[in-house]
Amino acid sequence: MKNFEYYKPKSLEEARELLLKYGEEASILNGGTDLIVRIHDGLSHPKAVIDIKGIEGLSEITYDEVDGLTIGACVTLNQMGENPVLLEKFRVLAEAGHTVGSCQVRNRATMAGNIANASPLADTATPLLALDAMVKVFGEEGETEVSIHDFFVWVRKTCLQVGDIVTGIRIPNYGSIEGIYQKHTRRNEVDLATVCATVIKIDGEVHIALGSVAPTPIRARKTEAFLKGKVLTEEVIEEAIEMVLGEIAPIGDIRASKDYREEIVKVLIRRGLRELIAAM
């Protein structure tokens, strides 16, 4: 591990100044469950590590019927999983967060960090895509919001510019949310997703999001359009599965072959849509 400068700013303005000073050679420390591992393994060599956990307002979960749910960037995944509002109104997101790593990891890891890494298989990315979440970003123009659909650009690349800081994630308020998050892995616990999927119905419309089947987590928009207004019969479900296969581009790697991922997608979509039938 190479030496680096450690900073713990007290404000977003101070943190942004440090990020601009060091540019691409700076890294934000939040949960640290990815950054510290990458530094230790020699995959990342920052000259400055900027710890944002001391900045006021980033560790809160708030909810109201106008703005919906807002989860601060420093809220841990275990805190999300214990929050009564998430469990009642946005359970699919709490369940996805609960699949990340071990309990010890979730005591440190955050959803903001999970999506900022921009991994195609990020556990919390597919529920956020399905829920049409907004990412709150502090940057040159102060705090703005970016649609989660514009946030992911490529593998481990987001739309964030140098100096930008994710301050939280906001999810709109909905009348009803039904459905499930599913994660297929090589072993039952503490593993990365071979394929993950969120299949939910929001106020009567089906939303489908998938991870580890493209360079970024994706929404199956064509399939959603096909399902709009249709009764979910077994025939319709099988047609939808074939449409989903036309929207994905999985690769083969150490965790699974391309063909295996396609087969798992079929299973997860079928199971997810049948879950919606059961919830009716």
Side-chain angles (χ1 to χ4, degrees):
M1 184 180 291
K2 296 183 179 180
N3 291 335
F4 54 80
E5 296 294 327
Y6 170 81
Y7 298 94
K8 193 169 186 179
K10 297 298 183 184
S11 69
L12 289 168
E13 291 79 7
E14 184 184 352
R16 176 171 165 78
E17 287 178 8
L18 289 166
L19 289 169
L20 292 173
K21 175 182 176 181
Y22 286 95
E24 299 290 346
E25 295 179 309
S27 292
I28 290 177
L29 174 64
N30 191 356
T33 55
D34 185 75
L35 176 63
I36 299 303
V37 172
R38 291 180 64 82
I39 292 175
H40 185 269
D41 290 348
L43 300 174
S44 183
H45 306 284
K47 285 191 175 180
V49 171
I50 300 160
D51 186 343
I52 64 171
K53 293 192 295 295
I55 299 176
E56 187 176 355
L58 299 188
S59 300
E60 300 174 356
I61 298 176
T62 60
Y63 173 78
D64 64 64
E65 294 186 357
V66 176
D67 293 327
L69 178 74
T70 299
I71 301 172
C74 296
V75 173
T76 69
L77 294 173
N78 273 344
Q79 288 172 332
M80 286 174 51
E82 297 167 356
N83 185 271
V85 174
L86 264 84
L87 292 173
E88 179 186 354
K89 296 181 176 294
F90 305 94
R91 178 173 286 274
V92 66
L93 184 57
E95 291 174 346
H98 187 70
T99 70
V100 177
S102 63
C103 181
Q104 294 91 331
V105 166
R106 293 191 297 274
N107 277 334
R108 300 292 301 178
T110 66
M111 181 165 62
N114 193 229
I115 66 168
N117 286 331
S119 169
L121 49 79
D123 293 295
T124 60
T126 63
L128 291 176
L129 284 167
L131 291 164
D132 293 319
M134 302 296 292
V135 182
K136 300 172 77 69
V137 178
F138 182 83
E140 185 176 3
E141 299 178 1
E143 188 164 83
T144 58
E145 290 189 340
V146 177
S147 169
I148 190 71
H149 304 293
D150 299 323
F151 186 74
F152 301 115
V153 175
W154 195 247
V155 179
R156 288 194 171 271
K157 184 172 177 59
T158 70
C159 68
L160 297 175
Q161 303 298 310
V162 173
D164 286 352
I165 304 167
V166 174
T167 61
I169 296 97
R170 184 178 67 82
I171 301 164
N173 196 27
Y174 297 108
S176 65
I177 301 171
E178 301 167 339
I180 56 173
Y181 169 80
Q182 301 172 82
K183 175 178 178 176
H184 181 79
T185 59
R186 295 168 296 177
R187 58 176 186 260
N188 289 335
E189 302 290 342
V190 194
D191 198 4
L192 300 174
T194 303
V195 176
C196 54
T198 296
V199 181
I200 58 176
K201 183 180 283 189
I202 298 180
D203 297 337
E205 293 193 2
V206 176
H207 293 198
I208 299 172
L210 294 151
S212 199
V213 296
T216 68
I218 63 166
R219 274 276 290 273
R221 298 285 193 183
K222 293 180 181 178
T223 306
E224 292 177 1
F226 165 75
L227 290 171
K228 190 172 182 178
K230 287 186 171 63
V231 176
L232 288 177
T233 64
E234 287 297 322
E235 182 180 353
V236 168
I237 288 174
E238 294 305 314
E239 288 185 60
I241 289 169
E242 292 304 313
M243 292 197 72
V244 168
L245 292 178
E247 297 192 70
I248 63 176
I251 62 169
D253 59 18
I254 193 171
R255 282 187 291 279
S257 67
K258 172 181 179 293
D259 291 343
Y260 184 76
R261 281 195 166 93
E262 289 178 342
E263 289 301 314
I264 295 303
V265 166
K266 293 180 184 179
V267 172
L268 299 186
I269 298 302
R270 185 179 293 113
R271 187 182 296 158
L273 291 175
R274 285 176 176 172
E275 181 77 13
L276 294 182
I277 295 175
M280 293 174 62

